[in-house]
């Protein structure tokens, strides 16, 4: 009764047992997660090569409760030999550098293969071809879950006659398509909103074809990999850097391994933590390492993290995407200046869209959340944006109670603080919450100006309609009173608008 | 620019990079998480041996922003040889069986050691001794993060003169104690609420001593490990069972490897999926395995999962714990009958506590959430209980708008559907949401009866106070009117309460 057996799990076994942590919980959510993980990789695969994504998605019913997801992209492709590990080994990934990208857990694709296998016992079919290659690699993959190793059921090389490059994945998933369908469609629409430079074709399981065509050509520039910022470095990272360091002095070591440390900053910092500039990095004592790491987190003269690793959507692209997908009467977007939390740079982008025919009237704003260009559709309540909206002073900005308002939020960061590996909501880190609030205030002020204008125009229109009604009578009576015979034209009040000067009125009336 | 480097991460490296997924994000939260992970293991360690937990916790400031957490228990201890892996290797655990326990990710303790190491570069000190052993093992442990292997900095065996058994952990964590303190205290208080059979002594970093003494002796019976229920089995689990199966027929295989399958159910089920009862399990075709697994999820004649693996708190213990910690005027608790989601059994327990001096008056009920006896203090918005409360018809139960109401919810399950590995909120699985709502309705009905009684008593009291005011005058006037001289006593109305009959009044008045 009180004996306990101990056991080691492989990462695959851990996530097999705790798959809800990666977004695979209910049959609905699992189908949706599988779909989005593959699509996100496809978008990344194209953008990393500066290619306008051209993505083809088909979902088909295979048998009762089993659906085939087929996604083909025109990205840079995965080299043939690396395909099995990249897709059928957990925590194996190509994204472990300091720059912004959609996925970063090394989990999504392999969890999809794993989930397919445990629900249907079928392998996942993958085609891959890099740019300029003559051969396409085809694999049928499964995972040895207990060992976290790929199982190759089939491998062949096909001639690449059409000069294709990219990745095609065909995976069978047990799921509830009826319920997943609205989320999948919402996800594609939202993606089209922030990626108006991509073509996406989607044929759903009911046979309906959806086409989202690009309205701009410019593919966003990817963030560049950067050195770590000293703020946010921990002893583990410091030890790893020291282990491979070739510099003979701390002065040089700091300048070569961190961003934002030049000669002067290095000197000042080393003085701050009481280490000699020519100290050999390999001869640091335990206490000194800890002092340096703690000093890096408290030293106040480092510049903010570099931001070339970030790739915000931009006010222009965001506005165009929103106009295309939501067709509002009014839109305003802001890209804030980069900030940082715990050494990770981030940028907040917010847009407000108001009125038009597709935005629903609602007591709460319609919130569209994005993180590193990924739409977040679940767990809205837990998100920092929802928290800011809940506590925002809408009255101050004269936003009516039941408004046709859509709010679009985008958090771009080398490390988005997701609450879960399922990437559904962003935690309310102080720095992020503050930026979201400030950005919303900017948008809300612009919305207030717009609403005031609309309101003024509306009142003007009412006034004008009264003029329109009475002016002809006044003109007739005035004519009669003055003894004249020709009644002057009163057309000038029709169509109203800005109040005209008396002179103009007279002029118009006289001509 | 478009080249991608691939790399494999160890589980330790994965969680080092994504530590927020395990509850280690801000300095405040990290200190809190470290504390609770050790405490939870201590409680488990005692309860698994049927021992009344006697736990001693000290948190001390070590240096600027670094705190030492010291927790010692009287549990069954970890065998000396297993200590390094149990505490300094991720995903290595003793809890991978089908029964309810606090921890189940094999992550908590080793993540604490890892976080301590990356923030302070110090090893974690562990003492352990099993029951009846003469020697205590002392270890100073760190983790080789890139390899996910324990590093033993020091190991010694000490004589066990005082016949102690249990585990003692002393770990140094960089954190913000000022902010973590209220959460830590709240966590201990909440634990005392659902574990009134435990003694907990806590000395905080300011030197204040808190003692939570047990009010009952009975230690809850732990759930017993059980065979898997057929509902919720996937092909991976089925293949693993088949791989080690010794039975020569499917009929026997099903009966011996699953709960709730006897001879008749096995026969009916095999007919349902069209497999011969004497089919050799080792000779199943791919299609047949898939058919069996899908059949297990759709066959409707399995009994609900066994529940002896569960260990609810119980209405009695819950009521006593709440009376002890919240001292309300009214408390009602319900333990619902076990239900299941995807083959995992669960029990919902809800208690309402009303009035008294410690429960705060608030526009929303004060919610105390528990899962497998663990208090959940973060991410309340994302929790299924908060969702039910938001959408609950409080008016129907005559609960005033600004009530002194506390709601205690407990989800006990072999697999609590947490949203994150940080174990902070429970997802709104349909079956769980329904049970929470039903249980709240039962409690709300009882609260309504209580509130009606209070209301009646209140009105009665007002009536009585009017009587008290006027009866002496009436008595005096009546005496005068009747010409008598002695005014009868009117004391009987003082202290009011239930209306008395006229007879009694007359009797009282006359004597």
């Amino acid at each position: 009764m009180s004996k306990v057996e101990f056991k080691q799990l492989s990462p695959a076994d851990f996530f097999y047992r705790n798959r809800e942590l990666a977004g695979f919980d209910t049959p609905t959510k699992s189908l949706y997660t599988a779909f989005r993980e593959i699509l996100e990789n496809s978008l990344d695969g194209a953008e990393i090569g500066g290619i306008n994504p051209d993505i083809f998605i088909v979902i088909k019913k295979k048998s009762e409760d089993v659906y085939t997801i087929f996604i083909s992209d025109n990205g840079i492709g995965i080299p043939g030999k690396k395909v099995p590990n990249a897709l059928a080994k957990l925590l194996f990934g190509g994204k472990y550098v300091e720059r912004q990208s959609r996925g970063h857990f090394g989990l999504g694709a392999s969890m999809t293969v794993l989930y397919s296998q445990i629900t249907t016992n079928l392998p996942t079919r993958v085609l891959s071809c890099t740019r300029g290659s003559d051969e396409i690699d085809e694999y049928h993959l499964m995972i040895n879950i207990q060992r976290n190793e790929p199982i190759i059921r089939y491998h062949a090389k096909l001639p690449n006659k059409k000069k294709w490059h990219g990745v095609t994945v065909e995976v069978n998933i047990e799921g509830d398509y009826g319920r997943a369908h609205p989320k999948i469609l919402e996800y594609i629409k939202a993606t089209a909103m922030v990626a108006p430079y991509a073509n996406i074709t989607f044929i759903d399981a009911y046979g309906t074809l959806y086409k989202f065509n690009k309205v701009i050509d410019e593919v966003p520039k990817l963030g560049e990999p950067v050195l770590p910022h000293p703020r946010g470095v921990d002893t583990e990272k410091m030890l790893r850097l020291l282990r491979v360091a070739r510099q003979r002095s701390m002065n040089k070591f700091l300048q070569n391994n961190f961003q934002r440390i030049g000669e002067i900053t290095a000197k000042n910092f080393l003085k701050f933590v009481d280490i000699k500039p020519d100290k050999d990095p390999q001869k640091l004592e335990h206490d000194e390492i800890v002092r340096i790491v703690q000093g890096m987190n408290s030293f106040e003269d480092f510049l903010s993290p570099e931001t070339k690793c970030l790739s915000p959507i931009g006010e222009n692209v965001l506005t165009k995407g929103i106009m295309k997908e939501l067709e509002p009467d009014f839109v305003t977007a802001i890209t804030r200046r980069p900030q940082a939390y715990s050494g990770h740079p981030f940028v907040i982008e917010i847009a407000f869209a108001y009125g038009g025919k597709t935005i629903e009237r609602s007591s709460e704003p319609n919130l569209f959340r994005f993180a590193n260009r990924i739409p977040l559709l679940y767990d809205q309540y837990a998100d920092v944006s929802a928290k800011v909206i809940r506590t925002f002073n809408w009255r101050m900005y004269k936003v009516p109670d039941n408004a046709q308002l859509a709010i679009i939020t985008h958090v771009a960061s080398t490390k988005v603080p997701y609450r879960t590996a399922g990437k559904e909501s962003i935690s309310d880190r102080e720095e992020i919450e503050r930026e979201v609030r400030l950005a919303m205030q900017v948008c809300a002020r612009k919305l207030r100006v717009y609403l005031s204008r609309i309101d003024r125009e509306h009142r003007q229109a009412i006034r004008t309609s009264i003029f329109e009604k009475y002016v002809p009578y006044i003109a007739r009576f005035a004519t009669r009173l003055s003894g004249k015979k020709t009644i002057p034209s009163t057309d000038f009040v029709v169509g109203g608008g800005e109040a005209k000067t008396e002179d103009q009125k007279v002029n118009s009336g006289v001509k």
Side-chain angles (χ1 to χ4, degrees), chain A:
Chain A
M1 180 65 182
S2 68
K3 213 174 139 251
V4 177
E5 294 234 4
F6 287 89
K7 195 159 125 181
Q8 169 74 32
L9 293 189
S10 82
D13 216 345
F14 175 80
F15 280 104
Y16 159 62
R17 287 158 191 256
N18 300 292
R19 47 195 178 267
E20 67 282 1
L21 299 180
F24 291 85
D25 43 25
T26 62
T28 309
K29 183 81 176 291
S30 300
L31 190 54
Y32 163 77
T33 301
F35 151 80
R36 62 170 276 196
E37 291 291 359
I38 314 172
L39 177 55
E40 283 163 19
N41 282 347
S42 284
L43 288 164
D44 274 339
E47 287 173 22
I48 205 170
I51 302 163
N52 281 100
D54 205 333
I55 295 175
F56 187 66
I57 308 166
V58 185
I59 301 183
K60 252 197 235 171
K61 184 167 183 160
K62 185 181 164 68
S63 61
E64 198 56 47
D65 293 335
V66 176
Y67 291 84
T68 307
I69 303 174
F70 175 98
I71 299 186
S72 186
D73 66 55
N74 61 338
I76 60 168
I78 303 167
K81 282 190 186 164
K82 296 198 169 152
V83 169
N85 278 340
L87 279 116
K89 189 179 182 104
L90 272 74
L91 311 190
F92 183 92
K95 292 170 180 169
Y96 302 123
V97 290
E98 292 270 326
R99 88 163 144 208
Q100 177 187 331
S101 67
R102 285 189 176 73
H104 68 262
F105 292 119
L107 257 185
S110 44
M111 269 308 287
T112 302
V113 173
L114 187 150
Y115 191 79
S116 163
Q117 158 178 343
I118 63 174
T119 57
T120 68
N121 203 19
L122 290 170
T124 297
R125 188 168 155 256
V126 183
L127 300 175
S128 179
C129 188
T130 52
R131 277 193 281 199
S133 168
D134 294 332
E135 286 180 326
I136 298 170
D137 280 273
E138 175 172 2
Y139 284 97
H140 297 185
L141 298 170
M142 295 183 86
I143 302 177
N144 180 329
I145 294 176
Q146 278 162 316
R147 294 192 183 168
N148 191 28
E149 275 169 11
I151 301 170
I152 300 169
R153 279 286 157 87
Y154 174 84
H155 178 211
K157 286 186 179 282
L158 315 172
N160 184 18
K161 286 176 192 160
K162 293 188 177 167
K163 305 255 176 220
W164 172 68
H165 53 83
V167 175
T168 299
V169 175
E170 190 182 315
V171 62
N172 301 290
I173 297 281
E174 190 185 294
D176 182 342
Y177 187 78
R179 288 190 181 194
H181 176 72
K183 286 284 180 191
I184 288 174
L185 201 55
E186 194 183 337
Y187 186 90
I188 299 179
K189 280 184 183 166
T191 297
M193 198 191 299
V194 294
Y197 49 83
N199 287 319
I200 303 176
T201 306
F202 171 44
I203 302 175
D204 73 12
Y206 310 124
T208 311
L209 168 77
Y210 302 83
K211 269 183 100 79
F212 299 84
N213 292 330
K214 64 181 164 120
V215 290
I216 58 172
D217 276 324
E218 191 198 343
V219 180
K221 248 188 85 181
L222 269 190
E224 292 172 33
V226 293
L227 292 174
H229 188 275
R231 181 117 50 248
V233 164
D234 53 48
T235 58
E236 173 71 14
K237 190 152 199 168
M238 181 61 81
L239 290 171
R240 289 188 193 184
L241 291 170
L242 287 169
R243 218 173 287 150
V244 296
R246 289 194 204 146
Q247 295 80 19
R248 289 270 148 249
S249 73
M250 277 309 289
N251 192 330
K252 291 272 174 236
F253 169 76
L254 291 176
Q255 292 182 50
N256 281 294
N257 287 283
F258 296 92
Q259 52 165 279
R260 301 309 203 188
I261 301 192
E263 211 174 319
I264 295 165
T265 308
K267 205 181 109 193
N268 292 340
F269 175 73
L270 287 168
K271 201 171 162 192
F272 177 74
V273 292
D274 194 19
I275 304 271
K276 293 210 177 89
D278 56 357
K279 173 99 188 181
D280 184 341
Q282 303 309 328
K283 290 187 179 155
L284 287 171
E285 306 274 326
H286 164 92
D287 287 356
E288 291 173 323
I289 295 173
V290 175
R291 210 159 69 224
I292 293 170
V293 170
Q294 289 181 341
M296 284 185 161
N297 286 288
S298 57
F299 186 67
E300 295 196 342
D301 292 349
F302 294 125
L303 291 173
S304 301
E306 286 186 42
T307 53
K308 64 182 179 189
C309 50
L310 295 181
S311 157
I313 299 169
E315 294 171 4
N316 177 34
V317 174
L318 196 51
T319 304
K320 284 205 175 114
I322 290 168
M323 289 307 291
K324 171 181 168 237
E325 292 300 320
L326 297 181
E327 301 171 279
D329 291 334
F330 167 81
V331 61
T332 180
I334 178 168
T335 300
R336 296 275 304 171
R337 290 184 48 189
Q339 301 288 333
Y341 77 93
S342 320
H344 306 295
F346 70 93
V347 169
I348 296 296
E349 301 186 281
I350 305 270
F352 278 24
Y354 191 90
K357 280 178 190 150
T358 66
I359 299 172
E360 277 174 37
R361 197 173 288 284
S362 163
S363 61
E364 283 176 14
N366 299 277
L367 178 56
F368 294 86
R369 297 173 294 133
F370 296 88
N372 287 356
R373 302 166 189 275
I374 299 177
L376 311 179
L377 305 186
Y378 282 89
D379 297 349
Q380 182 169 312
Y381 258 104
D383 197 272
V384 61
S385 299
K387 183 180 170 193
V388 172
I389 290 176
R390 270 199 302 275
T391 55
F392 199 78
N393 188 351
W394 293 105
R395 295 227 174 117
M396 198 172 128
Y397 297 96
K398 310 243 161 96
V399 179
D401 273 352
N402 226 5
Q404 268 187 288
L405 175 61
I407 295 182
I408 294 86
T409 65
H410 182 226
V411 180
S413 177
T414 46
K415 179 132 184 75
V416 176
Y418 290 114
R419 286 187 192 274
T420 65
K423 293 180 288 189
E424 293 299 358
S425 64
I426 297 172
S427 77
D428 51 346
R429 303 294 289 243
E430 221 174 292
E431 298 86 346
I432 293 181
E433 186 176 334
R434 192 183 56 230
E435 276 297 302
V436 170
R437 193 177 301 279
L438 290 173
M440 283 207 192
Q441 285 166 355
V442 174
C443 290
R445 275 197 291 275
K446 291 200 179 151
L447 178 61
R448 184 174 58 188
V449 171
Y450 169 77
L451 289 174
S452 302
R453 187 161 64 78
I454 288 293
D455 191 45
R456 211 164 51 232
E457 285 179 8
H458 182 66
R459 272 183 283 127
Q460 180 70 34
I462 291 174
R463 225 191 312 161
T464 307
S465 80
I466 293 171
F467 281 151
E468 279 179 18
K469 211 167 162 185
Y470 292 105
V471 161
Y473 293 98
I474 295 169
R476 211 185 301 157
F477 297 148
T479 312
R480 204 183 296 165
L481 266 178
S482 65
K484 301 237 166 125
K485 283 191 176 158
T486 324
I487 300 171
S489 162
T490 53
D491 289 352
F492 63 89
V493 290
V494 179
E498 294 297 303
K500 293 169 187 173
T501 65
E502 275 211 321
D503 271 355
Q504 282 177 311
K505 272 190 202 165
V506 171
N507 289 345
S508 317
V510 164
K511 88 171 167 199

